[in-house]
Amino acid sequence: GQQLNQSPQSMFIQEGEDVSMNCTSSSIFNTWLWYKQDPGEGPVLLIALYKAGELTSNGRLTAQFGITRKDSFLNISASIPSDVGIYFCAGQFMDSNYQLIWGAGTKLIIKP
Amino acid sequence: EPEVTQTPSHQVTQMGQEVILRCVPISNHLYFYWYRQILGQKVEFLVSFYNNEISEKSEIFDDQFSVERPDGSNFTLKIRSTKLEDSAMYFCASSEAEVEKLFFGSGTQLSVL
C-alpha cells in the first residue's frame, strides 16, 4: 500500500529553536495535511496544502507542498513549550478520493 | 468553535461482545470518517461515509465493522464481535468536502479484554 515516510521520529530541542520535519513518498499526492496530536486527544489540523509548490503559514508554522507532489515539510519557528506533542503529516494520494495516508509522526520534546 | 464530539471517551469490553462508538460530526459537514490508532502507531483509515453510504473503506474494515447515520446528527461505528486486536483509539472525523480539512474528535479508547 501507499506509505509516507516521516522524519525525524523525534526531536529534542531548546525553547526558542526552529524545528523542521518532513514527509516523503514514492507516490504522488493531491493534498497534504499537517496535524498535531496531544496525549489522549484527537489530531488537530494545523495546515492544509492543495497545490504543488504551495507555501502556507499559520502563525509560527510554515508548511510547503513539494513541487514533485511527493513530499512536504513543516517548520516551526521559535519553539515554545506548548509546541510539545506529536506532529503528523497526512496525504491524500491520487488513487483515492477519501482516504488519508498518515506518517508515523514526529515527537517534539523541548528541553527545559 | 464547532467540534466533533465522541462518546464514550473510554470503552472496556469482553472479547466477542458488540460495541457501538458514537460520534456527532460538525453540523454542516457532509463527509464522515472513522480512523483508528493503535497505541504508539500510525493513524489508520477505516471508512468514509457520504450521502448515506460508504464511499471508501480499508482492508481493516471487514464484515465485523459497520457504520450508520441513524439520524441527522449521529454517526456510529459498530464492531459486532470484538477481538483483542481491536483495542485502539478510534477517531471520528468530518469535513465539508472530500478529504479537505478533516476535523477530528477526541477519540474513544476501546479496550478489549
Side-chain angles (χ1 to χ4, degrees):
Chain A
Q2 308 299 327
Q3 282 203 355
L4 289 183
N5 300 308
Q6 185 171 352
S7 63
Q9 191 173 23
S10 60
M11 302 181 73
F12 291 79
I13 61 167
Q14 298 279 359
E15 184 177 347
E17 284 184 3
D18 296 343
V19 172
S20 185
M21 60 192 78
N22 69 83
C23 279
T24 61
S25 176
S26 57
S27 302
I28 292 174
F29 283 75
N30 288 331
T31 302
W32 286 95
L33 305 172
W34 283 93
Y35 285 86
K36 183 188 178 208
Q37 186 177 28
D38 292 325
E41 298 291 326
V44 174
L45 181 65
L46 300 174
I47 293 179
L49 302 163
Y50 302 105
K51 298 178 185 176
E54 181 180 354
L55 183 71
T56 298
S57 293
N58 178 7
R60 293 177 296 105
L61 277 61
T62 302
Q64 185 161 30
F65 195 148
I67 292 175
T68 64
R69 305 176 73 96
K70 295 181 179 180
D71 62 321
S72 176
F73 71 75
L74 174 70
N75 288 341
I76 305 173
S77 62
S79 56
I80 60 177
S82 61
D83 290 335
V84 164
I86 302 178
Y87 292 79
F88 290 97
C89 62
Q92 179 215 354
F93 66 99
M94 288 186 69
D95 294 337
S96 168
N97 289 326
Y98 302 98
Q99 180 179 164
L100 283 179
I101 305 297
W102 292 71
T106 295
K107 187 172 185 178
L108 184 62
I109 301 162
I110 296 184
K111 292 181 277 190
Chain B
E1 185 173 324
E3 59 182 19
V4 176
T5 57
Q6 288 185 244
T7 55
S9 57
H10 292 84
Q11 175 87 48
V12 180
T13 190
Q14 295 288 332
M15 190 170 57
Q17 294 295 306
E18 175 183 286
V19 294
I20 297 176
L21 309 183
R22 303 180 191 279
C23 170
V24 179
I26 294 173
S27 61
N28 64 329
H29 285 185
L30 301 176
Y31 296 80
F32 314 116
Y33 313 84
W34 284 100
Y35 283 78
R36 79 172 186 189
Q37 187 178 32
I38 295 171
L39 185 64
Q41 297 187 22
K42 290 185 182 185
V43 178
E44 298 174 294
F45 171 78
L46 294 179
V47 66
S48 58
F49 191 87
Y50 170 70
N51 201 24
N52 285 320
E53 61 183 19
I54 290 174
S55 44
E56 191 169 346
K57 61 183 180 179
S58 71
E59 293 175 352
I60 301 169
F61 195 89
D62 61 22
D63 292 344
Q64 294 301 310
F65 291 85
S66 62
V67 290
E68 196 176 32
R69 188 152 164 84
D71 52 43
S73 60
N74 290 284
F75 179 52
T76 62
L77 174 69
K78 181 193 290 186
I79 308 174
R80 288 190 186 80
S81 177
T82 50
K83 304 187 284 286
L84 295 176
E85 54 265 37
D86 293 329
S87 295
M89 181 75 92
Y90 287 80
F91 292 108
C92 174
S94 68
S95 64
E96 282 187 68
E98 295 171 17
V99 200
E100 181 178 302
K101 296 184 180 178
L102 268 69
F103 291 87
F104 284 79
S106 296
T108 293
Q109 179 66 55
L110 177 64
S111 298
V112 182
L113 305 178

